[in-house]
Amino acid sequence: RRFKSGPRHLLEGAPPGPFVVFPMTAAAPPSRVNLSLFALALGGFAIGTTEFATMGVLPNIAHSLHTSIPSAGQLISLYALGVVVGAPLFAVLGARMRRKTLLVLLMAIFALGNFASVLAPNFAVLALARFASGLPHGAFLGIGSVVAASLLPQARAHAFAMMMLGLTVANIVGVPVATVLGQQFGWRSTYVLVTVVAALTMVAVFLWIPLDDVHDDAGIRRELGALRRYQVWMALLIGAIGFGGFFAVYSYIAPTMTKVAGLHSSQIWIVLMIFGIGMTLGNVVGGRLADRNVVRTIYIGLGGVLVILVAFTVAAHHAIPAVACVFGLGMMGSVAIPALQTRLMDVSADAQSLAAALNHSALNIANSLGAWLGGLVIAAGYGYASTGWVGAALAVGGIAIVSVSVVTGRQRA
């Protein structure tokens, strides 16, 4: 199977030679593989909960620490900044460590950051704690995706999707539960929940992830070698630009649903849950599709996002069509993510840890870019529905980058 897939990887822009897979074990039993993927998914659940639950308790934080809501919103930006900085930093510094050991260490730092958020006496300490909490985010998911791929080398994208299932399920279960806890028992209880799940993840990773070997040529220089590869940068651009459209709409979904679609604020949690269901379904489908054809799945995901965002500019004015678009946006955006992660692992050859971690930095850049551009058109007076046009333009940009990447990859091959 691997020999047959070789030419396809060459045509899609992978470096010459056989695709590099570093197996964790020669043949792990299915039960052990499932437990390992569950341990990684549990970490994704903790990460997804802390990332999005902050938005739900933002007014409570602002009131408790005597600051304004816009000022408290900086906590979200600081967490995202931590992701962007920490993903490549930990991937490079941990290049000579066993991946199992590195995953435990990353989750320990994540747990400490969230526990510090619980104890923060003032806004300045909380801001520092949220930045620290974001540092392990991208590296854990990036290294975890490499580990997942090594457990199921014949279905790498599916394995990555199973790990990311925790992140998507967090939007259905973790975020609503953490938000309710924060509103009923104080915002600090939100981070207590995350700290507990993070501690459980550390135990699960220690018990169930197979112990891997450190390769003789592993090191900082090899990982940094990914940054010399043209196709790695192209794949990162796909994430940073193409997924900006996804976040241009999602960042303002609450005011759009209440001020344009006519829903009551008490119904927003239902919209977010529907969005999470769409993400979960898209993640599973995308993993299956990407194992058949990586580039085609990226086209399908970004193409679907483009169509839905154009439709959203009209559908946003009516409740049911607007919610349907929210579901579709979550689903089609998630279809492309396993494929994009697999693409990065394909074109990075033997520097997969850094490339996989950088994918999450790129997605957080997309988050910032989409939210910023969407805010510009809203501030200019074009209305909340206009974020759909901004998102559609960014999705077109992502599709164009995919096309350039494939064409240049074929020429070089």
Side-chain angles (χ1 to χ4, degrees):
R1 178 185 179 94
R2 190 173 299 176
F3 282 113
K4 289 181 180 179
S5 66
R8 175 173 61 84
H9 290 300
L10 286 175
L11 288 176
E12 293 176 1
F19 175 72
V20 178
V21 176
F22 300 125
M24 302 287 288
T25 58
S31 59
R32 183 63 177 268
V33 171
N34 290 335
L35 287 173
S36 298
L37 292 176
F38 175 78
L40 295 172
L42 190 62
F45 182 86
I47 288 171
T49 300
T50 199
E51 181 178 17
F52 296 106
T54 299
M55 303 172 187
V57 295
L58 211 57
N60 307 76
I61 294 174
H63 177 75
S64 173
L65 299 181
H66 309 291
T67 188
S68 65
I69 291 180
S71 296
Q74 296 175 10
L75 298 173
I76 300 172
S77 300
L78 285 169
Y79 182 90
L81 179 61
V83 178
V84 174
V85 173
L89 181 65
F90 282 118
V92 171
L93 294 180
R96 289 292 300 171
M97 295 178 63
R98 295 178 186 270
R99 286 174 179 150
K100 174 176 180 174
T101 304
L102 182 56
L103 287 174
V104 173
L105 176 62
L106 289 169
M107 193 47 59
I109 296 171
F110 177 80
L112 288 173
N114 280 279
F115 188 62
S117 301
V118 175
L119 302 178
N122 53 54
F123 184 79
V125 175
L126 180 60
L128 183 60
R130 297 317 299 154
F131 174 78
S133 300
L135 289 173
H137 174 131
F140 182 90
L141 295 178
I143 304 299
S145 67
V146 177
V147 172
S150 70
L151 293 168
L152 287 175
Q154 74 282 6
R156 294 172 297 128
H158 174 66
F160 171 70
M162 291 301 97
M163 184 196 76
M164 291 298 290
L165 203 60
L167 194 69
T168 58
V169 170
N171 286 277
I172 303 174
V173 180
V175 174
V177 170
T179 301
V180 170
L181 281 176
Q183 293 172 344
Q184 296 296 322
F185 302 102
W187 61 268
R188 297 177 192 273
S189 62
T190 297
Y191 300 117
V192 170
L193 174 64
V194 175
T195 303
V196 171
V197 178
L200 292 175
T201 301
M202 291 173 59
V203 175
V205 169
F206 179 78
L207 293 177
W208 295 330
I209 297 293
L211 191 63
D212 57 308
D213 295 324
V214 177
H215 291 264
D216 294 336
D217 60 343
I220 294 176
R221 179 175 296 182
R222 190 185 76 179
E223 291 299 330
L224 290 176
L227 301 180
R228 295 196 300 267
R229 296 184 174 96
Y230 165 79
Q231 288 291 350
V232 169
W233 286 105
M234 293 299 288
L236 292 173
L237 274 176
I238 294 169
I241 303 298
F243 282 88
F246 177 92
F247 290 108
V249 170
Y250 181 70
S251 299
Y252 303 97
I253 199 65
T256 302
M257 290 294 105
T258 55
K259 297 180 183 298
V260 182
L263 295 178
H264 192 269
S265 58
S266 62
Q267 298 171 309
I268 295 302
W269 72 270
I270 301 176
V271 177
L272 296 179
M273 183 175 291
I274 290 173
F275 178 81
I277 294 172
M279 286 185 67
T280 302
L281 180 60
N283 182 60
V284 175
V285 172
R288 294 293 187 183
L289 292 177
D291 279 323
R292 298 180 181 179
N293 191 297
V294 171
V295 172
R296 183 171 60 195
T297 305
I298 296 176
Y299 273 125
I300 290 172
L302 289 181
V305 168
L306 171 60
V307 171
I308 290 167
L309 289 178
V310 171
F312 183 77
T313 60
V314 177
H317 297 276
H318 309 279
I320 294 178
V323 174
C325 282
V326 169
F327 172 83
L329 180 63
M331 178 177 175
M332 297 312 299
S334 294
V335 161
I337 290 178
L340 184 59
Q341 184 77 67
T342 305
R343 172 71 173 176
L344 264 169
M345 292 169 63
D346 283 351
V347 300
S348 62
D350 58 353
Q352 296 176 16
S353 296
L354 176 59
L358 282 172
N359 184 40
H360 297 280
S361 293
L363 292 176
N364 273 270
I365 291 173
N367 191 346
S368 300
L369 178 65
W372 176 61
L373 292 176
L376 287 181
V377 296
I378 293 171
Y382 292 102
Y384 286 101
S386 64
T387 57
W389 291 117
V390 174
L394 290 171
V396 169
I399 293 171
I401 296 170
V402 177
S403 301
V404 172
S405 176
V406 171
V407 171
T408 55
R410 287 174 176 170
Q411 290 173 345
R412 293 190 179 198

